[in-house]
Each structure stands twice: as structure tokens, then as C-alpha cells.
């Protein structure tokens, strides 16, 4: 009986800078967690050994043996072959065809599930977060890039083959911006934090009288994704134009996804979501006006994510609990 | 035993002009079929009565009693509530909130399945056609509009709510074209046959020396979607420019869908598909160059549909056979 109470999943959020490792119970509460530096330039074998040993120590320090660990879930950036637990390619950590699950099993001999990190975050919001109780949800993370996660019937839909659910890589704008993926005018090239920061830098340089220039302390390299919003809400015309353009691009992408998936809810993650309703209110208005069949059909609501920095750990642990049920 | 051999599904393709009704066996061969005029201006009650009585007669004339009919599938244009067998809204036949399944059951007291017609066509290509054996497929029909069908794990995915799988209503071009749905720059506004014909009319009017003007007999109202292709393949610069623009718009939309679903295959239906490899070859080339992760991931092949005019009947019957298995 004690053993059953002790049971937990390990959820791992593998990022370019840090690896967050958590013990997660069946209610998706985090019992304990630890963070280590990825130090991504190391050989992947070292990183995986570090993760495995740290997770084993975390279990031990929290009075769990490996038998108490029902499985390990890992969210990784990049293109994942979840069936074989492999990272096919990740630009962030510079991995190519790494057999992550097999290698980690040497340190943690339990079932191991590997998924794209945005997919994990999406699942995390469904099991415990903004989309709790929803069967169908779309998740977009607005960060360095635009990551996507699709939940259908309560489970991650990753596409028929690796390379699916790349929701940041649908056509959005029309300015001829080259996306990091090589294609022109992807949503990511307009709606990522990176894109917003670059647009804000350009605007500040062109309009030194604007509040943008003031708020970055007259140093373009100090520009961040919050400044254009701060300027806009303070009434600065440059800031307002930037935010309007940003929200329109994002709204167009979300409308596409609503017309394809017609989910219960659309959840936005990433630092930009700190804007809360100032971001979601105009997005929801756009959807109500532009979704297909808007007078006779269900229009999904756009909300911000709730799991914050814990999204990766919770979502990765959810892979384990879902895997056990199957 | 004779009863078992006699068993068949009724597949119904409800269109704006005609209703095609077929008896379909478990191998998806059409045993018998009949077509009646929709006469869409009639009250919907009359149309449904006509369909029900004609289907009952078709069964009888082919030595089947209603007990031999395992069910009726109907593909309808418009936004469908498949759970309740309702046509929520259809512009083509001007129906709004019509309880099609319940009403048809008065004439055919068997299980009745209602789906969007493009969804049916997609399923038809999977059970018997260009996508046979595929678990994941995307179907686009290029006609008056651009219809979409999504098959995931061998079954229609219609979205979490009515209004999903509207693959013609994702952002494509950037010319500021108003789509029939009210939104700007949907794929349908660039890749439908209607859009191509309108573009060809404009080009012919502007360039009376072009072959476009010749091939429509100097009468713009004679323009069709085949003429720009004929002109292009004959080397006419106007025709070539039109076809290139058309194919690029379509390729952009298909690339979006490939990045989202990464299906086994993309199947194109509609009259334009008579162009065969002249259409699919440049589309496939575009996908190989522009799909996300194109060097490490699976790139779905684009092919033309095989079921032709029978797609609707076969797909509607497939609803029945799948429904029986569940």
C-alpha cells in the first residue's frame, strides 16, 4: 500500500539551457523537482547520463526506488520519432538521430516516452491547466519560435509521420519573410517573440521619438517582447502599430487552426502570454468575426496557459500516465 | 446465407444539382445506382421524401428488402452535425438546421449516417481509391469551392465541433481577395476552379492576343478551368503565368496541411485533377522543397483521386461499413 502511495512518474523538460526534472503524482502535482544546466555543447551521451543520474538521485532523495517510478516522460525540442523514442533533429540542442529513450533506459530501467516539447506542454494544459477537461485543444507556444501541440480526444496528435503538428509552419504573412525552416512567410516569422523583438528593433531604429526607443534605454540589444506591449498600452503610436500587426498575424494563424480542428479551446504559452486578456481579447474578437461558419458553429476560445514553467514537467509526466492506461 | 450475400449499404451523394444513390457491397463495388435531380428550390421535406422513396425502390428493384440494407450513408454539402445527423447550414442547397437522418429514417428504417461531402470523398479514396491502405490522408476537392477531408487512423476527422476540416478556409494568398466565407485570402479564393476561371477571364480580357482569349471563343462566359492549362501547355505566356500562380497557391495550402498532419498522402479531387501529373508533379516538387524538416522527415505524396463521379456514393457507403464496425 505504501508502495502505491509512493508511485510517481518522472517528467523531464529538456531545453537548450536547462533540463528540468520532476517527480509527478497521479494528480499531476509536482512532488519534487530539480534543474540542471543542459550545457548543450557537450556530447549527447554526457547530457543523457547527467539526466539519468540526476533523475535517479531525485527518486532516491524522495524515498522512491526505481520500482516506485512508473515511467519517464521527456519533452524535447525538435522533430521527434516518438514510436522509437528518438530525437530525429533538434536545432536547439544540436542533436541528430539520438536514441534518447534507449540510452536513458540504461539509467532508468522503466518505460520511457519521448515527445516534442510543445506537444508535452499541450497535454499538460489538458490534464492540469487552462484546457483541463477539454477533449480537443490546440496549443501554441510563442517563444524563440512558434511551437504547436494538438490534442484530439484527450491525446496528443503528432501527425501521421514525424514533422507533423508544426503549427508555427503554416503560411501567415505576406511580406516575404524567410522563416527559420527555409520557407517564406510562416506564422513563426511573424508571431514568435523573436519576430516581435526584431520588428520592435526596426521600428525603434526608424522612430527614435517613439516610446520603444525610450523603453529599451536607447539600446536596441535591450529590446524584448514586453516593450512593444508596454508602449502600446501607454498609447505610443509605434507600439500600437506593432502590437496590432503582431496580433493580426497570430489571429490569422489561430483562425486557420480553428477552421481545421475546431477545438474546444486554443491555449497560448510563452512569455508573451503575460499580456493576458490584452492579448486574448482581440484574438477572440478576430475569431468570432473570421472563423468559418461563425454564425452557426462553435467558435473556440483563446486563453493563456496556466502551467507556466512547470508545463514541460507536467506534460512529460502526462505521457507516462497516458501510456500506462493504454 | 442468401441474406448475407444480399446485404448492402446505400450510399447517397447529395449535390446541388443531382442526388446520386447507390447500392454498395462490402468490397465497395457499386451494385446499382440511380440519379435524381435535386431541384434544390423545393422544400427540403420533398427532397428528402424523393431520396427516401428512390432509395427504397432501388433496393426493391435489386431484390433487396430493407432488412438487407445495413445502413444509409449520406454526403451533404455544408456544415454538418454528424452526431445528430443534421445539416446545420448548406449554401448549395439552401438548408438550415435540417434533421436529415431523422427524416430519412421514416423512409429507410435503418442506421443513417450523415457527413460533409468532402469528408465522404476523402474516406472513399481511403477505402477504395488513391489512398487505399493509408491510415492518414488529406483530401482536397478543387471545385466551386475548395472542400477538405481529413482521415486519421483510417477514420474521418471532422474537427472537435462542426465547422472543422474546412481546409479551403486557411490563409493562402496575399492579394486581398474576399472569400465566400467572408474572410480575406482563404485558399478557396485562389485554388478553387471558380477562382481559376475568374483569373483566366481577367487575363483574357486584359490580353486579347493571348491563347486564353482564343480558346474561349472570344466569349468570356465560355471560360472554364481547363482553358488556362491548355494554353499553358501550348506555351502561351498568359496561360503559363496563370497556371504557375494557381499551382503555387495550391502548393502553399498543401504544404501547410503537410506540416500540420504529415499524412501518408494528399489526394486531390475535382475536375482540375484531369490535369494529372502536370498538376501533381510541380506540387510534389514544391512540397519536397518547402515542407518543414524536409531533409529528415517523410514528405507526403500528392496524387489525384481515383473514384471520380462515384466518390460520393463510395464514401457515403463507407460511413455505414465503418459505423457497423464500431
Amino acid at each position: 500500500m505504501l508502495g502505491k502511495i509512493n508511485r510517481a512518474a518522472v517528467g523531464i523538460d529538456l531545453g537548450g539551457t536547462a533540463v528540468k526534472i520532476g517527480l509527478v503524482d497521479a494528480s499531476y502535482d509536482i512532488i519534487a523537482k530539480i534543474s540542471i544546466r543542459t550545457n548543450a555543447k557537450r556530447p549527447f551521451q554526457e547530457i543523457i547520463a547527467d539526466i539519468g543520474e540526476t533523475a535517479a538521485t531525485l527518486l532516491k532523495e524522495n524515498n522512491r526506488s526505481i520500482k516506485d517510478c512508473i515511467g519517464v516522460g521527456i519533452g524535447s525540442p525538435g522533430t521527434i520519432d516518438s514510436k522509437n523514442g528518438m530525437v530525429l533533429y533538434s536545432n536547439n540542442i544540436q542533436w541528430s538521430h539520438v536514441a534518447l529513450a534507449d540510452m536513458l533506459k540504461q539509467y532508468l530501467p522503466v518505460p520511457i516516452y519521448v515527445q516534442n516539447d510543445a506537444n508535452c506542454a499541450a497535454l499538460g494544459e489538458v490534464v492540469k491547466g487552462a484546457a483541463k477537461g477539454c477533449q480537443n485543444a490546440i496549443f501554441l507556444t510563442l517563444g524563440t519560435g512558434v511551437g504547436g501541440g494538438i490534442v484530439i480526444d484527450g491525446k496528443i496528435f503528432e501527425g501521421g509521420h514525424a514533422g507533423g503538428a508544426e503549427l508555427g509552419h503554416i503560411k501567415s504573412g505576406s511580406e516575404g519573410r524567410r522563416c527559420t525552416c527555409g520557407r517564406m512567410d510562416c506564422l513563426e516569422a511573424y508571431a514568435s517573440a523573436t519576430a516581435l523583438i526584431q520588428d520592435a528593433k526596426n521600428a525603434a531604429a526608424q522612430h527614435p521619438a517613439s516610446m520603444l526607443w525610450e523603453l529599451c534605454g536607447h539600446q536596441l540589444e535591450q529590446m524584448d517582447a514586453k516593450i512593444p506591449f508596454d508602449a502600446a498600452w501607454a498609447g505610443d503610436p509605434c507600439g500600437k502599430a506593432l502590437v496590432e500587426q503582431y496580433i493580426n498575424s497570430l489571429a490569422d494563424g489561430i483562425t486557420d487552426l480553428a477552421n481545421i480542428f475546431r477545438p474546444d479551446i486554443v491555449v497560448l504559452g510563452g512569455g508573451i502570454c503575460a499580456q493576458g486578456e490584452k492579448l486574448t481579447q482581440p484574438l477572440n474578437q478576430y475569431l468570432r468575426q473570421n472563423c468559418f461558419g461563425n454564425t452557426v458553429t462553435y467558435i473556440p476560445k483563446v486563453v493563456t496557459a496556466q502551467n507556466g514553467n512547470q508545463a514541460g514537467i507536467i506534460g512529460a509526466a502526462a505521457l507516462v500516465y497516458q501510456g500506462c492506461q493504454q
Side-chain angles (χ1 to χ4, degrees), chain A:
Chain A
M1 198 63 192
L2 190 65
K4 197 164 184 183
I5 290 171
N6 260 358
R7 291 182 79 186
V10 172
I12 300 175
D13 179 1
L14 170 57
T17 309
V19 185
K20 296 174 198 157
I21 304 172
L23 288 190
V24 183
D25 70 18
S27 304
Y28 296 106
D29 287 323
I30 295 178
I31 302 161
K33 62 177 174 173
I34 188 168
S35 181
I36 58 172
R37 288 185 64 78
T38 311
N39 195 355
K41 288 181 180 163
R42 291 185 283 175
F44 64 83
Q45 296 89 340
E46 273 186 35
I47 299 174
I48 294 169
D50 206 355
I51 293 172
E53 287 161 5
T54 306
T57 303
L58 187 69
L59 280 163
K60 204 173 169 188
E61 285 178 355
N62 286 277
N63 304 317
R64 263 92 178 167
S65 74
I66 191 71
K67 285 182 184 161
D68 295 315
C69 176
I70 62 165
V72 175
I74 313 164
S76 165
T79 304
I80 306 302
D81 173 356
S82 65
K83 288 181 192 68
N84 298 303
M86 286 188 70
V87 178
L88 289 182
Y89 178 71
S90 173
N91 187 47
N92 287 36
I93 47 176
Q94 290 289 318
W95 284 10
S96 174
H97 290 86
V98 172
L100 177 55
D102 282 351
M103 293 180 67
L104 200 59
K105 215 163 199 166
Q106 297 172 17
Y107 304 89
L108 301 162
V110 292
I112 295 186
Y113 305 85
V114 182
Q115 256 298 352
N116 172 273
D117 52 1
N119 287 351
C120 283
L123 187 61
E125 292 293 329
V126 167
V127 298
K128 180 185 184 162
K132 192 170 178 185
C134 293
Q135 285 295 296
N136 298 286
I138 294 293
F139 180 84
L140 284 179
T141 174
L142 312 168
T144 310
V146 173
I150 303 163
V151 174
I152 296 177
D153 291 338
K155 295 191 187 114
I156 290 172
F157 171 71
E158 53 180 340
H161 298 265
E166 284 293 350
L167 305 184
H169 300 280
I170 58 174
K171 194 174 162 74
S172 174
S174 57
E175 294 176 18
R177 294 189 185 185
R178 179 73 65 184
C179 180
T180 54
C181 76
R183 194 178 169 206
M184 300 299 281
D185 290 328
C186 287
L187 181 60
E188 176 163 305
Y190 294 86
S192 62
T194 309
L196 178 58
I197 292 168
Q198 187 57 52
D199 288 347
K201 283 182 178 176
N202 296 346
Q206 282 168 30
H207 304 281
S210 80
M211 204 177 280
L212 297 169
W213 181 238
E214 199 64 37
L215 290 173
C216 70
H218 302 186
Q219 290 184 301
L220 289 183
E221 66 273 20
Q222 296 297 316
M223 185 65 74
D224 62 32
K226 187 170 171 287
I227 289 174
F229 284 100
D230 287 344
W233 310 144
D236 179 64
C238 268
K240 280 166 117 172
L242 271 181
V243 166
E244 190 180 324
Q245 177 193 298
Y246 178 82
I247 287 178
N248 277 344
S249 295
L250 181 57
D252 248 336
I254 295 174
T255 304
D256 285 356
L257 297 170
N259 286 349
I260 294 171
F261 290 99
R262 205 51 66 114
D264 301 324
I265 198 163
V266 177
V267 183
L268 303 179
I272 287 174
C273 293
Q275 300 299 324
E277 289 206 353
K278 286 180 181 165
L279 180 68
T280 55
Q281 191 274 335
L283 291 171
N284 279 307
Q285 190 181 341
Y286 190 98
L287 259 70
R288 283 194 298 273
Q289 288 169 350
N290 289 283
C291 271
F292 183 87
N294 51 5
T295 57
V296 295
T297 57
Y298 175 86
I299 309 295
K301 195 163 182 209
V302 184
V303 300
T304 51
Q306 289 179 358
N307 290 337
N309 288 335
Q310 304 190 333
I313 290 177
I314 294 171
L319 297 176
V320 179
Y321 285 107
Q322 282 207 340
C324 293
Q325 287 169 1
Q326 282 168 357

